Amino acid sequence: MNENLTALLPEIALLGAAVVGLLAGSWLPRRRQWIVAVVAAAACVAGLVATAVTMLTGREQTVFAHAFAVDTATDAGRLIVLGALLLVIGMSVDTVRGHKREAEYWVLLCLTGAGTLALLGANDLLMLFAAYLLASIPAYALTAFAKDSRGTEAALKYYLMGALLGTTMLAGAAVLYGVGGATLYRELRTTLPAAPYGPVAVGLVCVLAGVLFKAGAVPAHFWVPDVTEGAPPPVAAYVTTLPKAGALVAGYRLLTQVLPGSDVNWPLLTAVLAAVTMTLGNLAAFLQTSVTRLLAYSAISQVGYLLMALAVADRSDLALKSLLFYLAAYAATNLGAFAVVGALPGARSLDDYRGLARRRPGLAAVLVVCLLGLVGTPPTGVFLGKLEIFGAAVDGGCAWLAALAVANTVASLFYYLRWLVPLFFPTGDPAPATAHAVPGRWAAATAYTAGTASVTLGVAGGAVLPAMTGTLLS
């Protein structure tokens, strides 16, 4: 049994930062609670360094009696999550600086980030459920952080749906344990092929319900628009970005490690979910006038593209690396768009962005890069990510799904242009909310950083993709 805790340094760093932040926040005066943010950022940097060392040494292993795997998917996911968490910390400074509960905000962010990291390597049904809880419960509190009516309502919807689907997930794990006699993936892989078809299918669907909730995919997507609109922009950026990485890697690992020899047709199930998710997300975004709700439905549609990799997970060698690269590109691009929204307080509707190119050309440029990036326009990272994932779908025998994804990509240009075109038009009368707003310095810096990262991933993708090629440990 390998209990090498050094393999868990990124997770330990975030949990340690949460404990230190909680204790320090109890004693620090309000004007000094920014120190907890520094501790959280330092934990992210430490996790990134530890992950880079693990990747360079090429040491892959499992810990906790094989319940947690440290492999290519885990390490690449760690880089994505920790890098994105640093960006979320940056865009949060303007929102929570001087707040009476500032320290608690950073602690909750570290805890939910640790839960997301745990999802990446979960190699056991009970570990998967524990990670689900750790990633979810702090996020409910963050959603209601502002303690206003919209945030409270959004947090309640988020919690109720999370509790329902979490219970469903646990019930599914119990069913799989009942028919498979184990919770460890490597053991279920040998027992489930001989188990009755019905219970295995029901158990899988129930467990996937929790994964789809964390990813924000149909039919577990109803919370996404309300939370994105009701939560502070940095929290909205977090919940539409980081949980996706943890959930989709966890889903990929679950399907490929538990059910490769099962009669359950999970490739068709995930392909249908991908098709419905990308289409519904795009259709719902068409007539949105709130920028946060538009980004929410955009996030739902992006999950549909990402689910394509899961649909061909056992049929294409390109599936894993295309999923990981797309997640990295999407994280940078989506966070860049949310950072622009966070940098312009009070600008919540499309009309509020009229004339932004004249008043704030830098932020307007970042918004252009990020929104066109979400469409899949070169030279951004999402463009290369879509090429890879579409190629994986074709390679895996799902050409129809790739064709539908291309059609959805073209259609999505409409609602992104509804936001972009007014940037270059005169403001008119009355002046929009951004006319006299003072941009948040930290959020603006985060927007520039994320926009640069999105373009860099597109340009340097040829060098990044090989690092995401590998296999999963069982």
Side-chain angles (χ1 to χ4, degrees):
M1 182 184 299
N2 181 10
E3 304 299 353
N4 179 21
L5 294 183
T6 59
L8 302 176
L9 282 178
E11 292 80 10
I12 292 172
L14 282 184
L15 291 174
V19 173
V20 171
L22 190 61
L23 295 174
S26 301
W27 297 97
L28 289 170
R30 188 175 301 173
R31 67 181 183 278
R32 300 291 185 192
Q33 292 197 356
W34 57 267
I35 294 174
V36 182
V38 175
V39 173
C44 292
V45 172
L48 288 169
V49 172
T51 302
V53 171
T54 301
M55 295 182 76
L56 289 174
T57 57
R59 186 178 183 184
E60 297 185 341
Q61 57 190 306
T62 58
V63 295
F64 298 142
H66 307 291
F68 190 89
V70 180
D71 51 24
T72 300
T74 306
D75 287 331
R78 283 169 168 174
L79 294 179
I80 296 166
V81 170
L82 292 170
L85 193 57
L86 273 176
L87 292 175
V88 173
I89 290 172
M91 74 173 74
S92 298
V93 173
D94 298 316
T95 301
V96 301
R97 183 171 48 193
H99 196 282
K100 61 182 178 181
R101 296 188 304 279
E102 180 178 358
E104 286 89 336
Y105 179 90
W106 304 119
V107 169
L108 290 169
L109 204 57
C110 287
L111 288 174
T112 188
T116 303
L117 292 183
L119 283 170
L120 296 169
N123 213 25
D124 180 278
L125 291 176
L126 295 181
M127 175 67 76
L128 177 65
F129 182 67
Y132 172 92
L133 291 179
L134 183 55
S136 299
I137 295 174
Y140 304 149
L142 284 172
T143 302
F145 187 78
K147 283 194 171 182
D148 55 10
S149 58
R150 288 194 310 175
T152 303
E153 180 183 355
L156 182 60
K157 291 179 180 178
Y158 194 14
Y159 164 73
L160 290 175
M161 194 158 193
L164 172 63
L165 294 177
T167 304
T168 304
M169 184 184 198
L170 185 59
V175 171
L176 291 178
Y177 174 74
V179 297
T183 59
L184 197 65
Y185 289 179
R186 64 189 301 179
E187 295 177 7
L188 288 172
R189 185 170 64 238
T190 61
T191 58
L192 288 184
Y197 177 88
V200 174
V202 171
L204 172 64
V205 169
C206 290
V207 173
L208 278 180
V211 173
L212 294 174
F213 167 75
K214 294 307 300 175
V218 174
H221 68 288
F222 295 101
W223 61 272
V224 180
D226 292 319
V227 171
T228 305
E229 188 171 38
V235 177
Y238 175 88
V239 298
T240 58
T241 307
L242 276 76
K244 282 182 174 52
L248 290 166
V249 172
Y252 188 99
R253 191 182 300 277
L254 172 72
L255 295 172
T256 57
Q257 298 299 296
V258 174
L259 299 164
S262 173
D263 293 332
V264 178
N265 194 353
W266 56 264
L268 178 60
L269 172 63
T270 50
V272 171
L273 288 172
V276 174
T277 300
M278 70 175 76
T279 304
L280 186 146
N282 279 327
L283 292 177
F286 275 2
L287 301 180
Q288 297 297 324
T289 57
S290 165
V291 295
T292 49
R293 291 186 77 87
L294 188 151
L295 286 173
Y297 285 112
S298 166
I300 293 170
S301 70
Q302 297 292 332
V303 180
Y305 303 130
L306 289 159
L307 281 171
M308 294 168 63
L310 274 64
V312 296
D314 66 338
R315 302 177 184 177
S316 174
D317 294 334
L318 304 175
L320 181 58
K321 74 172 183 178
S322 65
L323 172 66
L324 295 173
F325 185 85
Y326 198 137
L327 283 170
Y330 168 73
T333 309
N334 192 58
L335 289 176
F338 269 104
V340 173
V341 174
L344 298 170
R348 289 301 186 106
S349 71
L350 298 180
D351 287 339
D352 291 333
Y353 287 80
R354 283 183 290 118
L356 184 66
R358 177 176 298 178
R359 298 188 306 277
R360 309 290 180 192
L363 290 177
V366 171
L367 194 58
V368 170
V369 167
C370 291
L371 293 185
L372 290 181
L374 290 173
V375 176
T377 305
T380 60
V382 175
F383 167 72
L384 184 56
K386 282 192 174 182
L387 283 182
E388 290 290 324
I389 217 162
F390 292 176
V394 173
D395 183 57
C398 285
W400 67 269
L401 187 57
L404 180 62
V406 170
N408 271 283
T409 296
V410 174
S412 70
L413 186 61
F414 169 75
Y415 59 83
Y416 289 119
L417 287 179
R418 288 186 63 232
W419 189 351
L420 288 175
V421 171
L423 300 182
F424 304 95
F425 278 70
T427 58
D429 189 31
T434 58
H436 306 293
V438 178
R441 183 177 61 181
W442 283 90
T446 303
Y448 297 136
T449 303
T452 302
S454 177
V455 174
T456 301
L457 281 171
V459 173
V464 176
L465 278 166
M468 297 182 175
T469 303
T471 58
L472 300 182
L473 292 180
S474 59

